């Protein structure tokens, strides 16, 4: 391989890792929710869309820098998730397992159609001066927004870990995940904890949406694709396993990028699904299932 | 169904409809008075023309452009006395960017006995639409779609105002050859009727012009990460990159081309998404010095082009019009002209369309059968370049308003 080809490959790897970081962020939210509440949130990608449209609206109205939108989108996402768990999911009672599928699918439809009514169907993007700025690292061009997205992912995941392992709330969350009844008997208000967890998961999706906005365009159904990605990431890493979700995200990002680079662009989504099927066949518990303790 | 009723064309609000009338304020008032008179007295009956475009869905931006073009043409036609003394009215159907909905809409229009249909926006929708309308023997005027196979072999009921895609690619490749000193190219297009048509044209025309095609790829709708592909191109170091995409894909591609450091001597976009004013806004400085092929730009030298630009912009509430609006304007004029000469029987309108000899602010409209194409209008293919955030016509020499920046900076 000549120099140019090596650089191109390295660049693809770096971009694949950074994109994978975003997948990890989305997957972490989904995995957290599954780990504690034992449900799959099928509206996860739609919460990401909400994050994107909040950024878009703030930029259009106040010319707010997209990254500053995090200050709005993350709390808004948390509040939304908290309220939804309280008003919808907590009422499913014994039928949480089956009911949550329909409930979250329905929520997703409501969200995407509300976005459609409010913002219209056409794809919309924002143009910030630094959207295409890059820096060189030994011939490899690294996109600054993509790097910020990667760093944002690291910060969010480190923050989540600090919360889970260094605080009383984190202890309560982990207790709820391990044994809800036991936790309840120890005085943990598990309903409250579940609402917080759902809020955190939604906030993670919204943060990912904000970080994506300078790189990508928003349209009401943008989330669909990301729900699938988050699901693949979560299964790759092991359901409910947070470090697994991070590794799963990175693996998916790199597999997709290398596949598109070496084989063909057109089967991009297939590479992830093939990896997904292989993991299900060979290690149904996920890459990290059971080898690392569940949250 | 959307309908432009006479009330939406209130004379007092309508813009002066020909450049001559806009000369003075008094002239304008007189025109308005004349319009009032003709509008309420002479234009007793209405003739309805059908149109189908994408007012919602992924092609909605283009649909809005088409709608503006129709509206401006209708205003102009009715202001100068309608068609044979009848007011021209438009039955506008939304296909929601979906082929089946377009076909349903066509059926509704046919049931309402429209003499001619204009539409649709995209090639993928227009092709089946043209086949359906040929079956029920109603002429279709295609304003915007550029897929080759719509008019080659085509059918006797389909007439196309826009150039076919090979004209866009050929005019670009002619320009590339004139610039000289370039040997290699890569082509990336969307994976649909329009994109594949451009891909085939470019892949066959480039080698004949002395270029080696290093890569030709298509991407599926919804792909937002072009980086791996663009990285591969960067490794191949081509002289020319040719792109064809719809709307926001064009913006995403342009941003990522810059991001990955792909820097060929020429980057060219074949019309469509790249020809939209929104492309300039969305891609910002990343779009600078891109070549974009189109058939109409506000700086073209056809008589009345400037006035058309102003009227289209007004119909779009101040938004910049694209070539799609001008094409739709011309298609509506062609429809009115054919009804004027042939009456409202579809078969006679079809016969009249074949004899069309119009010169409009969009350019000439003249449906000919040549080189395997049937009822195909031929417009000069313009090469524009993004300079300081504006499309400036830089080729061909006879139409150029500015100098090309080469190689791109």
């Amino acid at each position: 391989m000549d120099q140019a080809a090596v650089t191109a490959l390295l660049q693809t790897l770096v971009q694949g890792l950074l994109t994978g970081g975003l997948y990890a962020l989305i997957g972490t939210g989904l995995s957290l929710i599954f780990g504690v509440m034992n449900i799959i949130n099928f509206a996860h990608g739609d919460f990401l869309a909400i994050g994107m449209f909040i950024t878009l609206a703030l930029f259009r109205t106040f010319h707010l820098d997209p990254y500053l939108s995090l200050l709005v989108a993350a709390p808004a996402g948390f509040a939304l998730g908290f309220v939804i768990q309280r008003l919808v999911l907590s009422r499913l009672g014994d039928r949480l397992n089956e009911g949550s599928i329909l409930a979250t699918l329905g929520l997703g439809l409501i969200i995407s159609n509300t976005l459609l009514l409010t913002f219209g169907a056409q794809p919309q993007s924002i143009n910030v001066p630094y959207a295409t700025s890059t820096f060189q690292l030994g011939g490899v061009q690294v996109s600054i927004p993509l790097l910020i997205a990667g760093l944002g992912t690291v910060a969010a995941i480190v923050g989540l870990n600090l919360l889970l392992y260094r605080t009383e709330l984190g202890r309560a969350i982990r207790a709820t995940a391990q044994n809800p009844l036991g936790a309840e008997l120890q005085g943990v208000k598990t309903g409250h904890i579940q609402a917080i967890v759902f809020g955190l998961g939604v906030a993670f999706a919204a943060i990912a949406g904000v970080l994506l906005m300078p790189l990508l365009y928003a349209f009401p159904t943008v989330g669909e694709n990301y729900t699938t990605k988050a699901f693949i990431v979560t299964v790759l890493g092991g359901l409910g396993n947070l470090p697994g979700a991070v590794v799963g995200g990175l693996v998916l990002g790199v597999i997709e990028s290398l596949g598109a680079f070496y084989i063909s662009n057109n089967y991009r989504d297939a590479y992830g699904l093939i990896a997904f099927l292989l993991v299900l066949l060979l290690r149904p518990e996920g890459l990290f299932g059971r080898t690392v303790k569940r949250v | 169904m959307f309908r432009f009723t006479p009330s939406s064309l209130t004379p007092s609000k309508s813009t002066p409809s020909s450049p001559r009338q806009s000369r003075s304020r008094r002239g304008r008032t007189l025109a308005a008075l004349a319009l009032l008179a003709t509008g309420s007295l002479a234009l007793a009956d209405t003739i309805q023309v059908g149109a189908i475009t994408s007012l919602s869905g992924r092609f909605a931006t283009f649909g809005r452009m088409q709608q503006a073009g129709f509206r401006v043409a209708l205003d102009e036609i009715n202001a100068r006395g309608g068609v044979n003394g009848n007011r021209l009215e438009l039955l506008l159907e939304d296909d929601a960017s979906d082929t089946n909905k377009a076909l349903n809409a066509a059926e509704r229009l046919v049931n309402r006995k429209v003499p001619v249909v204009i539409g649709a926006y995209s090639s993928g929708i227009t092709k089946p639409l043209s086949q359906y309308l040929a079956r029920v023997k109603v002429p279709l005027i295609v304003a915007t779609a550029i897929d080759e196979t719509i008019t080659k072999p085509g059918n006797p009921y389909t007439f196309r105002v826009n150039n076919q895609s090979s004209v866009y690619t050929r005019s670009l490749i002619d320009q590339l050859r004139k610039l000289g000193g370039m040997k290699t190219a890569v082509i990336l297009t969307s994976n649909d009727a329009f994109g594949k048509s451009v891909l085939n044209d470019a892949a066959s025309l480039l080698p004949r012009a002395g270029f080696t095609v290093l890569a030709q790829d298509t991407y599926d709708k919804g792909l937002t990460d072009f980086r791996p592909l663009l990285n591969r191109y960067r490794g191949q170091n081509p002289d020319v990159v040719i792109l064809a995409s719809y709307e926001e894909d064009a913006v995403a591609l342009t941003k990522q081309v810059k991001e990955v450091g792909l820097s060929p001597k020429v980057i060219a976009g074949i019309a469509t998404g790249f020809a939209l004013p929104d492309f300039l806004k969305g891609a910002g400085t990343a779009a600078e010095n891109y070549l974009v092929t189109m058939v109409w730009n506000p700086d073209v030298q056809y008589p009345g082009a400037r006035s058309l630009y102003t009227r289209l912009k007004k119909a779009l509430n101040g938004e910049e019009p694209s070539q799609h609006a001008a094409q739709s304007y011309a298609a509506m004029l062609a429809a009115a002209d054919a009804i004027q000469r042939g009456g409202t029987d579809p078969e006679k309108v079809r016969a009249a369309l074949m004899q069309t000899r119009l010169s409009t602010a969009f350019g000439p409209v003249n449906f000919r059968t040549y080189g395997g194409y049937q009822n195909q209008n031929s417009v000069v293919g313009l090469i524009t370049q993004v300079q300081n955030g504006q499309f400036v016509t830089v080729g061909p020499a006879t139409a150029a308003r500015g100098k090309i920046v080469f190689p791109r900076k």
Side-chain angles (χ1 to χ4, degrees):
Chain A
M1 265 203 289
D2 63 348
Q3 186 61 40
V6 174
T7 311
L9 177 60
L10 278 177
Q11 189 160 307
T12 306
L13 270 175
V14 170
Q15 286 158 354
L17 278 173
L18 292 174
T19 315
L22 276 171
Y23 293 160
L25 185 61
I26 313 165
T28 301
L30 192 74
S31 204
L32 178 71
I33 292 171
F34 181 86
V36 178
M37 300 171 67
N38 219 15
I39 63 167
I40 299 284
N41 174 22
F42 285 95
H44 209 65
D46 298 291
F47 291 119
L48 175 137
I50 291 182
M52 291 184 91
F53 277 100
I54 287 178
T55 315
L56 181 81
L58 290 175
F59 183 81
R60 292 265 163 88
T61 325
F62 305 110
H63 285 280
L64 189 70
D65 187 274
Y67 294 116
L68 287 178
S69 306
L70 280 174
L71 299 175
V72 180
F78 180 82
L80 185 67
F82 191 94
V83 170
I84 286 175
Q85 201 281 338
R86 275 300 184 206
L87 291 183
V88 183
L89 299 177
S90 66
R91 292 172 193 240
L92 295 171
D94 291 342
R95 284 166 310 183
L96 183 67
N97 275 328
E98 317 91 79
S100 67
I101 297 174
L102 295 178
T104 53
L105 275 175
L107 278 169
L109 283 176
I110 293 172
I111 293 170
S112 56
N113 283 293
T114 308
L115 292 175
L116 181 68
L117 281 175
T118 320
F119 294 94
Q122 73 279 14
Q124 298 172 69
S125 57
I126 56 179
N127 184 27
V128 280
Y130 54 76
T132 51
S133 47
T134 53
F135 68 88
Q136 287 261 352
L137 202 76
V140 171
Q141 295 228 105
V142 185
S143 150
I144 288 173
L146 206 52
L147 185 68
I148 293 178
L151 294 176
T153 300
V154 172
I157 290 172
V158 168
L160 179 67
N161 270 293
L162 289 178
L163 176 80
L164 286 178
Y165 292 99
R166 295 271 191 278
T167 66
E168 201 55 40
L169 175 63
R171 198 190 299 272
I173 292 176
R174 284 182 292 139
T176 311
Q178 271 173 13
N179 188 339
L181 188 60
E184 189 81 41
L185 289 173
Q186 297 300 314
V188 175
K189 289 184 183 134
T190 52
H192 188 67
I193 294 296
Q194 293 195 341
I196 289 176
V197 163
F198 201 77
L200 280 174
V202 171
F204 268 53
I207 291 171
V210 175
L211 295 175
L212 268 173
M213 199 58 213
L215 293 158
L216 200 67
Y217 48 87
F219 53 99
T221 50
V222 66
E224 282 170 11
N225 195 18
Y226 286 97
T227 304
T228 322
K229 294 256 192 279
F231 191 66
I232 294 176
V233 163
T234 315
V235 173
L236 279 181
L239 278 166
N241 182 307
L242 291 190
V246 175
V247 176
L250 296 178
V251 166
L252 181 65
V254 171
I255 287 179
E256 280 189 356
S257 291
L258 287 185
F261 182 82
Y262 274 121
I263 309 169
S264 160
N265 196 38
N266 286 344
Y267 306 113
R268 192 183 171 86
D269 289 333
Y271 306 130
L273 288 169
I274 290 169
F276 175 83
L277 287 176
L278 282 179
V279 167
L280 279 185
L281 271 174
L282 304 174
R283 266 190 80 86
E285 67 276 23
L287 292 175
F288 287 77
R290 287 180 210 157
T291 57
V292 179
K293 245 187 175 176
R294 237 171 67 164
V295 180
Chain B
M1 182 169 311
F2 298 80
R3 198 195 249 236
F4 292 126
T5 56
S7 69
S8 71
L9 304 168
T10 338
S12 60
K13 269 191 182 168
S14 76
T15 46
S17 354
S18 80
R20 207 178 30 186
Q21 282 167 343
S22 66
R23 260 186 215 152
S24 73
R25 217 189 166 76
R26 211 175 75 188
R28 200 179 305 182
T29 322
L30 279 175
L33 279 175
L35 193 62
L36 262 178
T38 51
S40 53
L41 301 171
L43 303 184
D45 249 337
T46 60
I47 296 176
Q48 293 181 325
V49 174
I52 300 168
T53 187
S54 307
L55 296 174
S56 57
R58 61 188 287 247
F59 303 129
T61 310
F62 300 100
R64 216 165 57 237
M65 290 293 171
Q66 285 218 274
Q67 198 180 359
F70 295 149
R71 176 170 292 246
V72 166
L74 277 181
D75 279 349
E76 180 180 317
I77 292 158
N78 287 326
R80 67 172 184 226
V83 178
N84 294 332
N86 299 304
R87 174 172 287 280
L88 195 64
E89 198 179 279
L90 179 66
L91 296 177
L92 183 63
E93 294 268 358
D94 178 15
D95 63 29
S97 309
D98 178 275
T99 306
N100 288 329
K101 285 184 183 140
L103 292 174
N104 289 340
E107 206 174 335
R108 277 197 296 277
L109 291 174
V110 169
N111 287 340
R112 296 190 61 162
K113 305 252 178 289
V114 295
V116 56
V117 175
I118 306 173
Y121 166 70
S122 87
S123 295
I125 298 174
T126 307
K127 181 81 187 293
L129 188 66
S130 73
Q131 287 159 346
Y132 166 74
L133 286 170
R135 216 161 47 235
V136 296
K137 297 193 183 332
V138 172
L140 170 72
I141 304 181
V142 178
T144 53
I146 71 173
D147 177 9
E148 293 277 298
T149 63
I150 291 170
T151 49
K152 187 179 188 174
N155 67 59
Y157 288 86
T158 302
F159 298 79
R160 175 152 57 183
V161 170
N162 195 0
N163 278 333
Q164 65 274 30
S165 68
S166 60
V167 176
Y168 285 86
T169 32
R170 187 172 300 126
S171 61
L172 172 71
I173 291 165
D174 282 348
Q175 184 72 49
L176 296 178
R177 203 171 35 201
K178 271 180 215 143
L179 290 170
M182 296 180 289
K183 293 213 154 21
T184 53
V186 296
I187 317 159
L188 174 63
T189 72
S190 55
N191 190 9
D192 48 37
F194 151 69
K196 283 184 191 156
S197 191
V198 170
L199 188 78
N200 290 337
D201 297 337
S204 67
L205 291 170
L206 278 168
R208 279 187 242 159
F211 282 85
T212 310
V213 178
L214 299 176
Q216 51 184 93
D217 294 280
T218 59
Y219 67 86
D220 282 333
K221 166 184 150 189
L223 179 74
T224 46
D225 181 4
F226 301 94
R227 294 179 190 92
L229 209 52
L230 297 174
N231 284 333
R232 200 204 295 157
Y233 296 163
R234 190 189 163 194
Q236 293 172 321
N237 195 24
D239 293 322
V240 180
V241 172
I242 296 178
L243 307 168
S245 307
Y246 287 117
E247 230 190 333
E248 291 297 310
D249 295 344
V251 174
L253 258 170
T254 304
K255 284 182 175 174
Q256 290 175 19
V257 161
K258 185 161 181 216
E259 186 190 308
V260 304
L262 177 62
S263 50
K265 290 184 182 128
V266 167
I267 305 181
I270 305 292
T272 311
F274 292 94
L276 281 176
D278 275 355
F279 166 67
L280 299 178
K281 260 197 291 182
T285 52
E288 197 61 13
N289 293 343
Y290 270 49
L291 293 187
V292 180
T293 61
M294 42 178 111
V295 289
W296 193 84
N297 193 40
D299 70 4
V300 290
Q301 313 195 1
Y302 303 117
R306 196 70 212 176
S307 148
L308 175 60
Y309 166 76
T310 323
R311 285 180 284 152
L312 288 172
K313 189 167 176 172
K314 191 166 174 209
L316 286 161
N317 292 323
E319 199 186 323
E320 288 292 319
S322 69
Q323 66 163 355
H324 313 94
Q327 287 161 353
S328 310
Y329 161 85
M332 183 59 77
L333 290 192
D337 171 68
I339 295 171
Q340 177 106 31
R341 290 181 288 112
T344 54
D345 174 53
E347 206 53 52
K348 288 185 178 140
V349 170
R350 187 185 76 82
L353 277 170
M354 293 179 71
Q355 306 301 322
T356 301
R357 297 278 178 280
L358 274 180
S359 47
T360 74
F362 159 76
V365 181
N366 169 9
F367 303 107
R368 292 188 302 128
T369 296
Y370 68 96
Y373 296 95
Q374 200 168 0
N375 299 328
Q376 173 66 57
N377 187 29
S378 171
V379 196
V380 175
L382 303 177
I383 309 289
T384 67
Q385 187 172 38
V386 182
Q387 296 180 357
N388 300 317
Q390 298 270 341
F391 293 117
V392 177
T393 305
V394 293
T398 45
R401 287 291 179 105
K403 249 183 98 65
I404 193 166
V405 178
F406 173 79
R408 54 184 282 277
K409 282 173 195 147

